[in-house]
Each structure stands twice: as C-alpha cells, then as structure tokens.
Amino acid sequence: MLEFKNINRWFDGPEGKVTALDEVCLSVSPGEFLAVRGPSGCGKTTLLLIAGGLLRPNTGQVSLDGHDPYALSPEMRSKMRASMIGFVFQQFHLIPYLTVQQNILAPSLALPAKGADQRAKELLSRFGLDDRAGHVPAQLSTGQRQRTALARALLNKPKIILADEPTGNLDEGNADIVFGYLSQYVAEGGCVLLVTHDVRAAAHATRTLQMVDGRIIQ
Amino acid sequence: MTIWKLVTSEILHRKMNFALGVLAVMVASTSFIGSITLLQIHEADLVQGMNKLKDDTRKAMLKLGFNVVILPKDQNLADWYADDYASKYMPEDYVHKLANSRIVTVRHFLPSLQQKIEWPERKRKIILVGARGEVPNLHKNPVKPLVQPVPPGTISLGHELHRSMDLKVGEKVKLMGKEFTIHACHKERGNKDDITAWIYLAEAQELLDKQGLINAILALECLCTGDALPLIRKEIAAILPDTQVIERGSRALARAEARTKVEKEARITLENEKHLASILTPVVVTGCAVWVALLGFTNVRARREEIGVLRTLGVSAKSILVMFVSRHILVGVLGGALGFCAGVLAAVYFSTVLEGTRVQITSMDISVAGLLALSVGGAAALAVIAGWIPTMTAIRQDPAEVLREE
Ligand SMILES: Nc1ncnc2c1ncn2[C@@H]1O[C@H](COP(=O)(O)OP(=O)(O)O)[C@@H](O)[C@H]1O
Ligand SMILES: [Mg+2]
C-alpha cells in the first residue's frame, strides 16, 4: 500500500544541514498497523508528511497504492490525499467554527460524495458523538475531539490512515479508545502508519519499528 | 458541507474582523457615493437656480424697466436723466415705422407719452404715463403681449397715489376734467412708479394736448445683452434718423448682472468642491483599501491552521481562493450597500438640512439604481483587490508547516 525506498530528507537549519530522514525504507500493507516509535526530533513527523504527499523527499522513492504522489501535479496530489488518506494529529486540527458534524464532513469539500451526510451520521454514532453533533470543538473534551478527528479521517473511506502522535494529548483511557478504533479499522481491511513516542502503541500495532536520528533501526 | 457554509460559519465565528471589513468598505463607499450625490445635488440646484434666474430676469426687465429707450434726437439727455421722461416729442407714427421695418434686434415696441403734472383735482404732483399695447415687430413671430395695456377710459394708479387718496379698483376719479375708472392699484415698488398714473395713450395725448405725439419708445425683449447695443443703435438710426437710442442703466440689468455673477461664483464653488472631492475621495478609498488588506492579513493569519488542515484533507488551492474571494465579495457587497445608503442619506441631510437646498435626489443626472450598482460593484471589486495579497498568501501556504507544530 505504502512503500518508502531509500528516502532522504534534510533541512537547512541555522546551524547548517539537519538530516531528518536518512535512507529510510519501509512498507505498510492492508491489514497492517505499523507503529514507528522514536524520541522527539528523530524525524517521525517528516516521515508522515512525506507519506502523505505533503513534503517532497530530497532523494528516494515513495509509492502510494502503486503511484508516486510526487510525480503528480499538486492538484492531483490533493485529490489523491482526499480519496486515499486519512490524517489524525496530536493537535486534532479541527476547524473551530464548524460543528462536530460539519468537521466530520469537511473532507467532502475536497471530494464531494452523494452519501457523505449518511456516512457522517454513521460515524457520529460509531464514535459515540451523536449528542455532540451540533457542538463546536471548543465545547468538547479532548477525547471527543480526537474521536471527531478520527471520524473525519474515515469519511472518505481512506485506504490508509496516517497518524502523528494521535494520543499525545489524551489520557490513558482515551488513548486506548483511539488505539481501539484504529485496530478496528485495520481489522476491516485498512492500514495504519502511526508515528509516536508512546510505548503503549506497541500493544496495539501489528508491527513496530524503532527510529533514531532519522534512521529506522529494527 | 459546502464552501459557502464554511464561509458563512467563519464570518459568524469572526464577526469582528468581518464587521470591521464591512465598515472599512462602507467608509470608502460612503465617501465616494456621498461626494458624487452631493455634487450632483449641487449641480442640479445650480441648474434649477439658473433657470429660475433667467425667468426672474425676464420678469424683472418688464417690471423694472427696459434697458433700451428711443428718444427724440434733440432731447437733452441731462434733462432726461433728471426727469426720467423727455421734454421733446416725436410722432407716434415712428413706432409703426419701426414695427414695419426689418429690424431684428427688437421684438416689441412700446410707445409712451410721459409728463410730470399737477393733478388739478387732487392738488398733487404725479407722473402721467400714456401707454398703449405694445406694437409687435411684424417680421418676428408674434408672441403673447408682455405688458397688459390700460384700456381706454381707465386709469392705473401707483401705490402711493391710491394709498394716500384711499382709492380702490372700480371707483371713479377725475383727472384734468375727464372721468376714469380705476383699472388697477399697483403694489408698492419703491420707485417713481408709486406716484405714476397710467392711462390710455390717445387719452393722454388729448389731455396733455399732444395729439399724435409721444416722447419715448421702449424697446422690449431686445436681443440685447449689453454689447448688442451698438447694433441696435445702428439698426434704429437707419430707420429713424431723428432719434437717439440710449441704454438705461436699469435695475433689471444690474440685477441680472448680479445674478450672473452669483451663478459664476456658484460654478466656481462647485468646481472647487469637485476638485476637493477628486483628491479627498481617492485618499479615503485608498486608506480603506489598506484597512481591508490589513484585516485580510489578520484573517489569513488567524486561519493558518484551518487552511493547512483543509489543504491536508485535499481541498484544492482553488477552493481556498474561492473561500477568501467570496468572503471579500460579501464584505464588499455589504459595505457597498450600507455605504450607498449612508452616502446618499448624508448628502441629502447635508444639502437639505444644513444647506437648505430644495433639490430632489431624483432630479440628479445619474440614476439612484445606477449609483447603487456602482457602489455595490465598486465596493466588491475594492474588497477583492484589497484582499488579494492576503488571499494569495493563504493559498500559497504550505500545509506541512502547520502540521509540524506541536
Ligand atoms: N522546516 C524545517 N527546517 C529546519 N529543520 C527542520 C524542519 N522541519 C523539521 N526539521 C528538523 O528535522 C528533524 C525532524 O523533525 P520532525 O520530523 O518534526 O521530528 P519528530 O516529529 O520526530 O519530533 C528535527 O531535528 C527538526 O528540527
Ligand atoms: Mg513530530
């Protein structure tokens, strides 16, 4: 589903070149929940952005469902993101003035679909947000916010979910709930690439990789 | 979920930024529409005033005297100026000569016989004027008579005469042994007219023993505005060599000149106003555009996260553009409509209440609907243009930067 071949990415920082990813190779297949664990600053977010078609690697090959997203036009890359990828972040990144229901429906702005409203209703009840549908994010608990973000990620039935520290702002109970939903999604045939420094992730993942200083160490 | 829903929800969420934007556009459009409307009102007022002035001048020419008088050639002008009537006479027939001539500068001729006399029955000095209907220039289109003649057997009295003797219209008075019915009692005019009595020309000639004679011909509706006088002189001298033509420095003329001057000054004032507006309005509009642009930047900065997330979800740059442009159009349309109302109201208030102009807004050259369209369309364009750079920074924003922030 997702494959990285010898990906390198560096940045020009104030003190010279900073290597964020160093010859990274990995692959995630449907039905797989891959957790990449590593300390802060090791390059996890960079890895995820490259996987999501949001950051071009300096060298190396990315393949998403058999296509190189960086060979596409920005417009097509946006479409690819909308149709294939669900994103979940530590900061939730909900739109503050939209209700829970509208936030879940936000991906339909990029990919309008007939059944979107119905699908949003299903997701609302699946994530236990029925009674919160009309609330704005500021009125929600952090757990509810992350569940809203998860529901949003699932609206367009993505082939892969890219999650960056999705439990970073959650207590243990809520973290378990989120991991539970991700596992459920994988069980239904999806695949997840999770990057985190949370050791509990290993318990839910089907496979775990360690990352240090931009390199994957098994 | 639609872009439109997103735009309206965002506006409701950030009411302040939106309201300030609308206010900015409104200020710009108020100043623009207000100055246009006010200038239009002033223009219409000036035109109305000018038309009234022309009419007034024509009436005043009649009321206050004509500026061209034909007198016998041997009349001493010093005496004439002193007495306001000639002591020399000419044949009444002269007026027919003039009327039958091909003279082009004069429309009507009014023969008169005037003399200061002692009203024997009343023991007082009066000016007796014998007049008759004006004689139209036959080669000109006949027009309605300007002066209503005094019918034979009647007399018209100046204010001082009827007031002091307590005479009323319809009563009979004796003058030099002849009985007259009072035809009119004039209002006070504050000049010699107040001690003047008008009777029919033939009767005056009989009473004064001047059969077939007159001592002045007034030229009415001269196509003469000051500098045409030499031409009139030449024309009349050719027909009546025994006469002299003088221009009376009439009050009507002075009044007309004063009005022309007023009009000229009003024109200059209007031009100055236009000049001021042409400088001030662009300054205000530019200031407001900068204001809208700054609000746009504030809005884009506040929405950094949201824009990044939308792009991450796959929303295209084009949709982000539509999002910001439609917001600016809304700002513009609302500000333009409000500015139109405020501008028109301000102009009307300023002109009617503060300046006392009685001009209807409908009498303006430019239609109200056209002005509204101009205001709304112009304001929308202003808002979109002013918001263009912030909008561009929004659509160029790299979503990755937002997602990296922890
Ligand atoms: N835009 C950038 N400019 C310079 N350095 C960057 C930039 N983005 C990331 N880095 C650096 O790359 C390294 C990896 O960052 P990141 O992928 O965010 O790590 P993580 O998500 O694991 O904390 C860090 O050392 C970070 O400072
Ligand atoms: Mg990170």
Side-chain angles (χ1 to χ4, degrees), chain A residues 11 45-46 49 54-55 75 78 81-82 87 89 91 93 95-98 102 105-110 152, chain B residues 1-3 5-6 9-10 13-14 303 305-306 309-316 399-400 403-406:
Chain A
F11 297 98
T45 297
T46 305
L49 292 174
L54 291 161
L55 184 70
E75 197 77 357
S78 285
R81 267 203 303 281
F87 288 91
F89 308 96
Q91 309 292 348
H93 289 315
I95 294 174
Y97 50 83
L98 295 183
Q102 289 168 336
L105 278 165
S108 69
L109 287 171
R152 177 178 70 183
Chain B
M1 210 33 218
T2 58
I3 292 279
K5 179 76 213 157
L6 200 87
S9 303
E10 195 273 336
H13 180 66
R14 296 196 183 86
R303 298 170 73 176
E305 179 185 353
E306 169 199 336
V309 171
L310 287 173
R311 293 304 307 278
T312 302
L313 296 179
V315 173
S316 67
L403 302 182
R404 194 185 286 286
E405 285 158 12
E406 280 170 16

Side-chain angles (χ1 to χ4, degrees), chain B residues 257-275:
Chain B
E257 272 165 4
R259 287 198 173 142
T260 316
K261 211 173 136 205
V262 166
E263 188 216 317
K264 221 184 212 164
E265 276 163 8
R267 269 264 161 239
I268 291 170
T269 309
L270 188 65
E271 287 311 313
N272 288 343
E273 279 175 10
K274 280 184 183 165
H275 187 65

Side-chain angles (χ1 to χ4, degrees), chain A residues 115-124 126 154-157:
Chain A
D117 286 327
Q118 187 52 41
R119 171 102 176 124
K121 285 209 183 83
E122 282 167 27
L123 290 167
L124 276 171
R126 164 129 58 115
L154 290 173
L155 184 83
N156 285 341
K157 299 187 175 156

Side-chain angles (χ1 to χ4, degrees), chain B residues 83 139 147:
Chain B
D83 298 338
H139 300 282
V147 176

